[in-house]
Amino acid sequence: MHGPLPATATVIRQVRRMRTQRRMSAAALAEALSANGYPTTRAVLANQDCGRVRTVPVDFVVAAARVFGVTVGELLEDIACSVCRGEPPEGFTCNTCGTTRED
C-alpha cells in the first residue's frame, strides 16, 4: 500500500489542520464525528493521520464538515496532483497539473 490517494490526503490534512487550530484532541474529534453521523474512534483517526488508509468514506467528509462548520468543498480545497502530489522536483513543472516548483 502506498498511502492515501490525493483527495483523501487533502481531506485528512484539512481535518488535521482544523482539529489542531481548535486544540481538539483526536478522541474529542472521534466523539464529535460520531455525534454527527459517522461513528468512529480515535484509533481510526490515528490510522488516517499516519497514512495507513488509502481512502475515506464520503460520510466521514460530510460529518467532518459538520463538526468544523465548513462546507465539504472547503475540506477538498487544494487537492494534490496524483502524479507530483503538489510538489514537483525543484526547478520543474508537472506535466499533469502544471504546478511549478522554483529553486
Side-chain angles (χ1 to χ4, degrees):
M1 188 158 88
H2 298 295
L5 296 173
T8 294
T10 297
V11 168
I12 290 169
R13 185 174 52 252
Q14 295 283 56
V15 167
R16 183 184 318 119
R17 180 182 61 77
M18 291 178 187
R19 181 177 67 80
T20 302
Q21 286 176 337
R22 289 162 177 81
R23 301 183 197 283
M24 179 183 263
S25 70
L29 177 57
E31 287 179 29
L33 288 168
S34 296
N36 279 278
Y38 186 75
T40 193
T41 65
R42 185 210 56 80
V44 169
L45 298 177
N47 284 334
Q48 289 175 356
D49 279 348
C50 293
R52 292 186 189 120
V53 298
R54 293 200 30 91
T55 61
V56 292
V58 69
D59 292 324
F60 169 80
V61 179
V62 171
R66 286 182 189 144
V67 167
F68 295 118
V70 299
T71 66
V72 168
E74 289 175 88
L75 291 178
L76 294 170
E77 285 181 3
D78 302 323
I79 295 176
C81 171
S82 63
V83 174
C84 73
R85 303 226 183 258
E87 296 185 19
E90 287 186 31
F92 288 88
T93 299
C94 176
N95 291 331
T96 301
C97 71
T99 298
T100 301
R101 185 168 169 200
E102 302 297 324
D103 301 305

mmCIF file with all atom_site columns, all heavy atoms in Angstrom, residues 27-48:
data_model
loop_
_atom_site.group_PDB
_atom_site.id
_atom_site.type_symbol
_atom_site.label_atom_id
_atom_site.label_alt_id
_atom_site.label_comp_id
_atom_site.label_asym_id
_atom_site.label_entity_id
_atom_site.label_seq_id
_atom_site.pdbx_PDB_ins_code
_atom_site.Cartn_x
_atom_site.Cartn_y
_atom_site.Cartn_z
_atom_site.occupancy
_atom_site.B_iso_or_equiv
_atom_site.pdbx_formal_charge
_atom_site.auth_seq_id
_atom_site.auth_comp_id
_atom_site.auth_asym_id
_atom_site.auth_atom_id
_atom_site.pdbx_PDB_model_num
ATOM 1   N N   . ALA A 1 27 ? -9.496  12.126 20.259 1.00 0.00 ? 27 ALA A N   1
ATOM 2   C CA  . ALA A 1 27 ? -10.625 11.477 20.936 1.00 0.00 ? 27 ALA A CA  1
ATOM 3   C C   . ALA A 1 27 ? -11.864 12.369 20.886 1.00 0.00 ? 27 ALA A C   1
ATOM 4   O O   . ALA A 1 27 ? -12.981 11.894 20.651 1.00 0.00 ? 27 ALA A O   1
ATOM 5   C CB  . ALA A 1 27 ? -10.255 11.155 22.385 1.00 0.00 ? 27 ALA A CB  1
ATOM 6   N N   . ALA A 1 28 ? -11.671 13.678 21.103 1.00 0.00 ? 28 ALA A N   1
ATOM 7   C CA  . ALA A 1 28 ? -12.802 14.611 21.035 1.00 0.00 ? 28 ALA A CA  1
ATOM 8   C C   . ALA A 1 28 ? -13.367 14.683 19.622 1.00 0.00 ? 28 ALA A C   1
ATOM 9   O O   . ALA A 1 28 ? -14.583 14.751 19.428 1.00 0.00 ? 28 ALA A O   1
ATOM 10  C CB  . ALA A 1 28 ? -12.369 15.991 21.510 1.00 0.00 ? 28 ALA A CB  1
ATOM 11  N N   . LEU A 1 29 ? -12.486 14.646 18.619 1.00 0.00 ? 29 LEU A N   1
ATOM 12  C CA  . LEU A 1 29 ? -12.952 14.654 17.237 1.00 0.00 ? 29 LEU A CA  1
ATOM 13  C C   . LEU A 1 29 ? -13.738 13.382 16.940 1.00 0.00 ? 29 LEU A C   1
ATOM 14  O O   . LEU A 1 29 ? -14.790 13.434 16.295 1.00 0.00 ? 29 LEU A O   1
ATOM 15  C CB  . LEU A 1 29 ? -11.789 14.807 16.257 1.00 0.00 ? 29 LEU A CB  1
ATOM 16  C CG  . LEU A 1 29 ? -12.179 14.749 14.780 1.00 0.00 ? 29 LEU A CG  1
ATOM 17  C CD1 . LEU A 1 29 ? -13.212 15.809 14.421 1.00 0.00 ? 29 LEU A CD1 1
ATOM 18  C CD2 . LEU A 1 29 ? -10.932 14.880 13.905 1.00 0.00 ? 29 LEU A CD2 1
ATOM 19  N N   . ALA A 1 30 ? -13.256 12.251 17.414 1.00 0.00 ? 30 ALA A N   1
ATOM 20  C CA  . ALA A 1 30 ? -13.967 10.984 17.196 1.00 0.00 ? 30 ALA A CA  1
ATOM 21  C C   . ALA A 1 30 ? -15.369 11.055 17.802 1.00 0.00 ? 30 ALA A C   1
ATOM 22  O O   . ALA A 1 30 ? -16.346 10.619 17.174 1.00 0.00 ? 30 ALA A O   1
ATOM 23  C CB  . ALA A 1 30 ? -13.183 9.814  17.791 1.00 0.00 ? 30 ALA A CB  1
ATOM 24  N N   . GLU A 1 31 ? -15.480 11.615 18.993 1.00 0.00 ? 31 GLU A N   1
ATOM 25  C CA  . GLU A 1 31 ? -16.802 11.766 19.628 1.00 0.00 ? 31 GLU A CA  1
ATOM 26  C C   . GLU A 1 31 ? -17.702 12.700 18.816 1.00 0.00 ? 31 GLU A C   1
ATOM 27  O O   . GLU A 1 31 ? -18.879 12.420 18.612 1.00 0.00 ? 31 GLU A O   1
ATOM 28  C CB  . GLU A 1 31 ? -16.641 12.321 21.049 1.00 0.00 ? 31 GLU A CB  1
ATOM 29  C CG  . GLU A 1 31 ? -16.096 11.317 22.035 1.00 0.00 ? 31 GLU A CG  1
ATOM 30  C CD  . GLU A 1 31 ? -15.932 11.919 23.428 1.00 0.00 ? 31 GLU A CD  1
ATOM 31  O OE1 . GLU A 1 31 ? -16.690 12.850 23.775 1.00 0.00 ? 31 GLU A OE1 1
ATOM 32  O OE2 . GLU A 1 31 ? -15.039 11.450 24.153 1.00 0.00 ? 31 GLU A OE2 1
ATOM 33  N N   . ALA A 1 32 ? -17.138 13.814 18.343 1.00 0.00 ? 32 ALA A N   1
ATOM 34  C CA  . ALA A 1 32 ? -17.918 14.777 17.564 1.00 0.00 ? 32 ALA A CA  1
ATOM 35  C C   . ALA A 1 32 ? -18.360 14.182 16.223 1.00 0.00 ? 32 ALA A C   1
ATOM 36  O O   . ALA A 1 32 ? -19.495 14.396 15.785 1.00 0.00 ? 32 ALA A O   1
ATOM 37  C CB  . ALA A 1 32 ? -17.103 16.048 17.341 1.00 0.00 ? 32 ALA A CB  1
ATOM 38  N N   . LEU A 1 33 ? -17.471 13.435 15.577 1.00 0.00 ? 33 LEU A N   1
ATOM 39  C CA  . LEU A 1 33 ? -17.832 12.777 14.316 1.00 0.00 ? 33 LEU A CA  1
ATOM 40  C C   . LEU A 1 33 ? -18.954 11.770 14.549 1.00 0.00 ? 33 LEU A C   1
ATOM 41  O O   . LEU A 1 33 ? -19.906 11.703 13.765 1.00 0.00 ? 33 LEU A O   1
ATOM 42  C CB  . LEU A 1 33 ? -16.614 12.085 13.700 1.00 0.00 ? 33 LEU A CB  1
ATOM 43  C CG  . LEU A 1 33 ? -15.548 13.001 13.107 1.00 0.00 ? 33 LEU A CG  1
ATOM 44  C CD1 . LEU A 1 33 ? -14.273 12.207 12.812 1.00 0.00 ? 33 LEU A CD1 1
ATOM 45  C CD2 . LEU A 1 33 ? -16.055 13.694 11.853 1.00 0.00 ? 33 LEU A CD2 1
ATOM 46  N N   . SER A 1 34 ? -18.840 11.014 15.628 1.00 0.00 ? 34 SER A N   1
ATOM 47  C CA  . SER A 1 34 ? -19.872 10.027 15.957 1.00 0.00 ? 34 SER A CA  1
ATOM 48  C C   . SER A 1 34 ? -21.217 10.709 16.194 1.00 0.00 ? 34 SER A C   1
ATOM 49  O O   . SER A 1 34 ? -22.251 10.237 15.729 1.00 0.00 ? 34 SER A O   1
ATOM 50  C CB  . SER A 1 34 ? -19.462 9.220  17.194 1.00 0.00 ? 34 SER A CB  1
ATOM 51  O OG  . SER A 1 34 ? -18.294 8.456  16.920 1.00 0.00 ? 34 SER A OG  1
ATOM 52  N N   . ALA A 1 35 ? -21.191 11.848 16.870 1.00 0.00 ? 35 ALA A N   1
ATOM 53  C CA  . ALA A 1 35 ? -22.422 12.595 17.141 1.00 0.00 ? 35 ALA A CA  1
ATOM 54  C C   . ALA A 1 35 ? -23.014 13.208 15.873 1.00 0.00 ? 35 ALA A C   1
ATOM 55  O O   . ALA A 1 35 ? -24.191 13.545 15.827 1.00 0.00 ? 35 ALA A O   1
ATOM 56  C CB  . ALA A 1 35 ? -22.151 13.698 18.163 1.00 0.00 ? 35 ALA A CB  1
ATOM 57  N N   . ASN A 1 36 ? -22.189 13.325 14.833 1.00 0.00 ? 36 ASN A N   1
ATOM 58  C CA  . ASN A 1 36 ? -22.637 13.913 13.574 1.00 0.00 ? 36 ASN A CA  1
ATOM 59  C C   . ASN A 1 36 ? -22.808 12.872 12.470 1.00 0.00 ? 36 ASN A C   1
ATOM 60  O O   . ASN A 1 36 ? -22.711 13.184 11.288 1.00 0.00 ? 36 ASN A O   1
ATOM 61  C CB  . ASN A 1 36 ? -21.658 15.005 13.128 1.00 0.00 ? 36 ASN A CB  1
ATOM 62  C CG  . ASN A 1 36 ? -21.921 16.299 13.844 1.00 0.00 ? 36 ASN A CG  1
ATOM 63  O OD1 . ASN A 1 36 ? -22.796 17.054 13.455 1.00 0.00 ? 36 ASN A OD1 1
ATOM 64  N ND2 . ASN A 1 36 ? -21.189 16.541 14.930 1.00 0.00 ? 36 ASN A ND2 1
ATOM 65  N N   . GLY A 1 37 ? -23.061 11.637 12.869 1.00 0.00 ? 37 GLY A N   1
ATOM 66  C CA  . GLY A 1 37 ? -23.436 10.615 11.901 1.00 0.00 ? 37 GLY A CA  1
ATOM 67  C C   . GLY A 1 37 ? -22.342 9.721  11.366 1.00 0.00 ? 37 GLY A C   1
ATOM 68  O O   . GLY A 1 37 ? -22.584 8.902  10.475 1.00 0.00 ? 37 GLY A O   1
ATOM 69  N N   . TYR A 1 38 ? -21.119 9.850  11.897 1.00 0.00 ? 38 TYR A N   1
ATOM 70  C CA  . TYR A 1 38 ? -20.042 8.978  11.443 1.00 0.00 ? 38 TYR A CA  1
ATOM 71  C C   . TYR A 1 38 ? -19.369 8.344  12.653 1.00 0.00 ? 38 TYR A C   1
ATOM 72  O O   . TYR A 1 38 ? -18.385 8.856  13.185 1.00 0.00 ? 38 TYR A O   1
ATOM 73  C CB  . TYR A 1 38 ? -19.006 9.756  10.607 1.00 0.00 ? 38 TYR A CB  1
ATOM 74  C CG  . TYR A 1 38 ? -17.972 8.852  10.014 1.00 0.00 ? 38 TYR A CG  1
ATOM 75  C CD1 . TYR A 1 38 ? -18.271 8.043  8.930  1.00 0.00 ? 38 TYR A CD1 1
ATOM 76  C CD2 . TYR A 1 38 ? -16.695 8.775  10.556 1.00 0.00 ? 38 TYR A CD2 1
ATOM 77  C CE1 . TYR A 1 38 ? -17.330 7.188  8.394  1.00 0.00 ? 38 TYR A CE1 1
ATOM 78  C CE2 . TYR A 1 38 ? -15.739 7.923  10.028 1.00 0.00 ? 38 TYR A CE2 1
ATOM 79  C CZ  . TYR A 1 38 ? -16.058 7.132  8.947  1.00 0.00 ? 38 TYR A CZ  1
ATOM 80  O OH  . TYR A 1 38 ? -15.126 6.273  8.410  1.00 0.00 ? 38 TYR A OH  1
ATOM 81  N N   . PRO A 1 39 ? -19.913 7.196  13.108 1.00 0.00 ? 39 PRO A N   1
ATOM 82  C CA  . PRO A 1 39 ? -19.327 6.519  14.276 1.00 0.00 ? 39 PRO A CA  1
ATOM 83  C C   . PRO A 1 39 ? -17.875 6.115  14.005 1.00 0.00 ? 39 PRO A C   1
ATOM 84  O O   . PRO A 1 39 ? -17.591 5.452  13.015 1.00 0.00 ? 39 PRO A O   1
ATOM 85  C CB  . PRO A 1 39 ? -20.202 5.275  14.455 1.00 0.00 ? 39 PRO A CB  1
ATOM 86  C CG  . PRO A 1 39 ? -21.445 5.548  13.675 1.00 0.00 ? 39 PRO A CG  1
ATOM 87  C CD  . PRO A 1 39 ? -21.058 6.481  12.577 1.00 0.00 ? 39 PRO A CD  1
ATOM 88  N N   . THR A 1 40 ? -16.973 6.575  14.860 1.00 0.00 ? 40 THR A N   1
ATOM 89  C CA  . THR A 1 40 ? -15.558 6.262  14.675 1.00 0.00 ? 40 THR A CA  1
ATOM 90  C C   . THR A 1 40 ? -14.838 6.307  16.015 1.00 0.00 ? 40 THR A C   1
ATOM 91  O O   . THR A 1 40 ? -15.442 6.618  17.045 1.00 0.00 ? 40 THR A O   1
ATOM 92  C CB  . THR A 1 40 ? -14.910 7.224  13.660 1.00 0.00 ? 40 THR A CB  1
ATOM 93  O OG1 . THR A 1 40 ? -13.633 6.718  13.278 1.00 0.00 ? 40 THR A OG1 1
ATOM 94  C CG2 . THR A 1 40 ? -14.775 8.628  14.207 1.00 0.00 ? 40 THR A CG2 1
ATOM 95  N N   . THR A 1 41 ? -13.557 5.999  15.988 1.00 0.00 ? 41 THR A N   1
ATOM 96  C CA  . THR A 1 41 ? -12.736 6.005  17.202 1.00 0.00 ? 41 THR A CA  1
ATOM 97  C C   . THR A 1 41 ? -11.464 6.809  16.966 1.00 0.00 ? 41 THR A C   1
ATOM 98  O O   . THR A 1 41 ? -11.089 7.102  15.835 1.00 0.00 ? 41 THR A O   1
ATOM 99  C CB  . THR A 1 41 ? -12.327 4.570  17.591 1.00 0.00 ? 41 THR A CB  1
ATOM 100 O OG1 . THR A 1 41 ? -11.487 4.042  16.559 1.00 0.00 ? 41 THR A OG1 1
ATOM 101 C CG2 . THR A 1 41 ? -13.547 3.677  17.797 1.00 0.00 ? 41 THR A CG2 1
ATOM 102 N N   . ARG A 1 42 ? -10.792 7.096  18.066 1.00 0.00 ? 42 ARG A N   1
ATOM 103 C CA  . ARG A 1 42 ? -9.511  7.797  17.985 1.00 0.00 ? 42 ARG A CA  1
ATOM 104 C C   . ARG A 1 42 ? -8.501  6.976  17.197 1.00 0.00 ? 42 ARG A C   1
ATOM 105 O O   . ARG A 1 42 ? -7.700  7.501  16.433 1.00 0.00 ? 42 ARG A O   1
ATOM 106 C CB  . ARG A 1 42 ? -8.977  8.096  19.395 1.00 0.00 ? 42 ARG A CB  1
ATOM 107 C CG  . ARG A 1 42 ? -7.700  8.939  19.365 1.00 0.00 ? 42 ARG A CG  1
ATOM 108 C CD  . ARG A 1 42 ? -6.791  8.653  20.545 1.00 0.00 ? 42 ARG A CD  1
ATOM 109 N NE  . ARG A 1 42 ? -6.413  7.272  20.687 1.00 0.00 ? 42 ARG A NE  1
ATOM 110 C CZ  . ARG A 1 42 ? -5.438  6.649  19.983 1.00 0.00 ? 42 ARG A CZ  1
ATOM 111 N NH1 . ARG A 1 42 ? -4.789  7.281  19.043 1.00 0.00 ? 42 ARG A NH1 1
ATOM 112 N NH2 . ARG A 1 42 ? -5.138  5.396  20.212 1.00 0.00 ? 42 ARG A NH2 1
ATOM 113 N N   . ALA A 1 43 ? -8.539  5.652  17.333 1.00 0.00 ? 43 ALA A N   1
ATOM 114 C CA  . ALA A 1 43 ? -7.598  4.775  16.630 1.00 0.00 ? 43 ALA A CA  1
ATOM 115 C C   . ALA A 1 43 ? -7.776  4.869  15.110 1.00 0.00 ? 43 ALA A C   1
ATOM 116 O O   . ALA A 1 43 ? -6.786  4.870  14.369 1.00 0.00 ? 43 ALA A O   1
ATOM 117 C CB  . ALA A 1 43 ? -7.777  3.335  17.089 1.00 0.00 ? 43 ALA A CB  1
ATOM 118 N N   . VAL A 1 44 ? -9.015  4.965  14.652 1.00 0.00 ? 44 VAL A N   1
ATOM 119 C CA  . VAL A 1 44 ? -9.265  5.101  13.216 1.00 0.00 ? 44 VAL A CA  1
ATOM 120 C C   . VAL A 1 44 ? -8.675  6.417  12.720 1.00 0.00 ? 44 VAL A C   1
ATOM 121 O O   . VAL A 1 44 ? -8.037  6.474  11.669 1.00 0.00 ? 44 VAL A O   1
ATOM 122 C CB  . VAL A 1 44 ? -10.779 5.022  12.908 1.00 0.00 ? 44 VAL A CB  1
ATOM 123 C CG1 . VAL A 1 44 ? -11.073 5.433  11.476 1.00 0.00 ? 44 VAL A CG1 1
ATOM 124 C CG2 . VAL A 1 44 ? -11.298 3.617  13.190 1.00 0.00 ? 44 VAL A CG2 1
ATOM 125 N N   . LEU A 1 45 ? -8.870  7.489  13.483 1.00 0.00 ? 45 LEU A N   1
ATOM 126 C CA  . LEU A 1 45 ? -8.315  8.789  13.100 1.00 0.00 ? 45 LEU A CA  1
ATOM 127 C C   . LEU A 1 45 ? -6.788  8.755  13.096 1.00 0.00 ? 45 LEU A C   1
ATOM 128 O O   . LEU A 1 45 ? -6.148  9.354  12.227 1.00 0.00 ? 45 LEU A O   1
ATOM 129 C CB  . LEU A 1 45 ? -8.830  9.884  14.031 1.00 0.00 ? 45 LEU A CB  1
ATOM 130 C CG  . LEU A 1 45 ? -10.348 10.097 14.014 1.00 0.00 ? 45 LEU A CG  1
ATOM 131 C CD1 . LEU A 1 45 ? -10.736 11.158 15.028 1.00 0.00 ? 45 LEU A CD1 1
ATOM 132 C CD2 . LEU A 1 45 ? -10.838 10.452 12.629 1.00 0.00 ? 45 LEU A CD2 1
ATOM 133 N N   . ALA A 1 46 ? -6.199  8.045  14.041 1.00 0.00 ? 46 ALA A N   1
ATOM 134 C CA  . ALA A 1 46 ? -4.738  7.920  14.085 1.00 0.00 ? 46 ALA A CA  1
ATOM 135 C C   . ALA A 1 46 ? -4.228  7.198  12.844 1.00 0.00 ? 46 ALA A C   1
ATOM 136 O O   . ALA A 1 46 ? -3.198  7.584  12.270 1.00 0.00 ? 46 ALA A O   1
ATOM 137 C CB  . ALA A 1 46 ? -4.307  7.179  15.347 1.00 0.00 ? 46 ALA A CB  1
ATOM 138 N N   . ASN A 1 47 ? -4.938  6.168  12.417 1.00 0.00 ? 47 ASN A N   1
ATOM 139 C CA  . ASN A 1 47 ? -4.548  5.447  11.195 1.00 0.00 ? 47 ASN A CA  1
ATOM 140 C C   . ASN A 1 47 ? -4.629  6.355  9.977  1.00 0.00 ? 47 ASN A C   1
ATOM 141 O O   . ASN A 1 47 ? -3.789  6.270  9.080  1.00 0.00 ? 47 ASN A O   1
ATOM 142 C CB  . ASN A 1 47 ? -5.407  4.205  10.994 1.00 0.00 ? 47 ASN A CB  1
ATOM 143 C CG  . ASN A 1 47 ? -5.015  3.080  11.911 1.00 0.00 ? 47 ASN A CG  1
ATOM 144 O OD1 . ASN A 1 47 ? -3.879  2.991  12.346 1.00 0.00 ? 47 ASN A OD1 1
ATOM 145 N ND2 . ASN A 1 47 ? -5.953  2.211  12.211 1.00 0.00 ? 47 ASN A ND2 1
ATOM 146 N N   . GLN A 1 48 ? -5.612  7.226  9.940  1.00 0.00 ? 48 GLN A N   1
ATOM 147 C CA  . GLN A 1 48 ? -5.721  8.182  8.835  1.00 0.00 ? 48 GLN A CA  1
ATOM 148 C C   . GLN A 1 48 ? -4.545  9.151  8.870  1.00 0.00 ? 48 GLN A C   1
ATOM 149 O O   . GLN A 1 48 ? -3.899  9.389  7.848  1.00 0.00 ? 48 GLN A O   1
ATOM 150 C CB  . GLN A 1 48 ? -7.032  8.958  8.916  1.00 0.00 ? 48 GLN A CB  1
ATOM 151 C CG  . GLN A 1 48 ? -8.250  8.132  8.602  1.00 0.00 ? 48 GLN A CG  1
ATOM 152 C CD  . GLN A 1 48 ? -9.541  8.906  8.823  1.00 0.00 ? 48 GLN A CD  1
ATOM 153 O OE1 . GLN A 1 48 ? -9.536  10.045 9.275  1.00 0.00 ? 48 GLN A OE1 1
ATOM 154 N NE2 . GLN A 1 48 ? -10.650 8.266  8.506  1.00 0.00 ? 48 GLN A NE2 1
#
